[in-house]
Amino acid sequence: MSYLKEKATAFLMSRIGKTARVITTENITDSLLAITLHTPDLAKWRSCQHLKFETGKGHYRDYTLAHWNEANKQGTLLIDAGHEGAGSNWARLLRPGQALLYAGPGGGIHQPTAAAHLVCLGDASAIGHFSSLFHRKGTQQQLYTLISHKQPLPLKILDMPVDTTAGYIAGVERWLLQQPFPMSDTTFYVAGNIPLVVQIRKLIKRLGAQQIKAQGFWE
């Protein structure tokens, strides 16, 4: 983050920042963390909205609300902490009772369409994004998630069914060719690492996808 952007973000956080409190932290895998927060000032939630957190002095990261409970004002973040960085280090050190400064929600351009099939493709950094879609989809819609990851993930994360491939783009293609998705009634959501998103988008266009919603998070 550039110096000027850091200063602008710090000023914005000082003016509109809100406080959340950590309720629980859970290791879903060695690197995937589920952080449940009490966010009393959060009024509304849409799919794929993120909160901006201060993860250190001059460091800010956006994390998608994977799930939101309106009744008790609790939200869950799914954070991929399998690499070194300000966000990962911050997430690994969170403890119940800790107060966090955040701004938002923001974003939310990805919403469930009216298609019968919603297909989510990406890496571990996109699991919260996809979970958010899962919890807002229609009861008759089917949502499928494939995560490119070096280790197998649980078959369900926050109730969302999850498949894993260690084969990167080749693994994604193999999985897609085994699925009988009707392209005219399927929306594809692609998210995560930007080069991966670009390659998956090219792949599914080649396979005949008609509705694609893509969002890159990092390089």
Side-chain angles (χ1 to χ4, degrees):
M1 184 180 286
S2 69
Y3 174 76
L4 289 177
K5 190 173 182 180
E6 285 179 5
K7 296 291 285 185
T9 302
F11 175 76
L12 183 67
M13 293 289 278
S14 70
R15 297 296 297 271
I16 66 170
K18 305 166 190 174
T19 300
R21 195 166 296 277
V22 179
I23 299 174
T24 62
T25 65
E26 177 188 356
N27 281 78
I28 294 178
T29 69
D30 290 344
S31 59
L32 183 64
L33 307 178
I35 313 294
T36 301
L37 307 173
H38 183 224
T39 51
D41 298 318
L42 190 61
K44 294 182 179 180
W45 174 63
R46 302 173 69 232
S47 295
C48 302
Q49 285 190 305
H50 61 258
L51 304 180
K52 183 179 293 293
F53 290 91
E54 182 179 46
T55 59
K57 187 173 178 58
H59 294 282
Y60 303 91
R61 295 290 185 273
D62 295 340
Y63 292 110
T64 304
L65 271 172
H67 184 252
W68 166 247
N69 187 314
E70 177 88 30
N72 58 21
K73 301 292 183 181
Q74 292 183 8
T76 301
L77 310 176
L78 293 173
I79 300 178
D80 174 27
H83 54 277
E84 290 300 316
S88 296
N89 297 339
W90 169 82
R92 286 193 291 262
L93 294 174
L94 293 178
R95 296 293 181 266
Q98 189 171 345
L100 308 178
L101 181 66
Y102 77 93
I109 59 171
H110 286 181
Q111 298 295 313
T113 66
H117 305 276
L118 309 178
V119 179
C120 299
L121 307 168
D123 60 20
S125 69
I127 296 175
H129 191 81
F130 298 151
S131 173
S132 180
L133 286 164
F134 173 77
H135 288 286
R136 299 288 284 188
K137 72 177 183 64
T139 55
Q140 301 303 313
Q141 289 179 299
Q142 297 296 314
L143 185 140
Y144 310 81
T145 301
L146 179 68
I147 301 298
S148 176
H149 196 57
K150 58 187 177 183
Q151 296 177 337
L153 294 166
L155 296 179
K156 282 192 175 183
I157 298 176
L158 296 186
D159 295 327
M160 177 182 70
V162 175
D163 287 334
T164 312
T165 178
Y168 202 63
I169 296 299
V172 173
E173 183 169 12
R174 282 194 299 271
W175 184 85
L176 286 169
L177 292 174
Q178 295 170 0
Q179 314 299 323
F181 297 125
M183 292 301 185
S184 61
D185 202 13
T186 299
T187 300
F188 291 88
Y189 297 86
V190 187
N193 173 260
I194 293 172
L196 177 65
V197 168
V198 170
Q199 291 186 60
I200 292 178
R201 190 173 186 277
K202 289 179 179 178
L203 167 65
I204 57 180
K205 285 188 72 175
R206 176 167 59 81
L207 294 177
Q210 299 175 22
Q211 302 178 63
I212 304 172
K213 297 182 180 293
Q215 185 170 356
F217 295 151
W218 59 284
E219 291 192 72

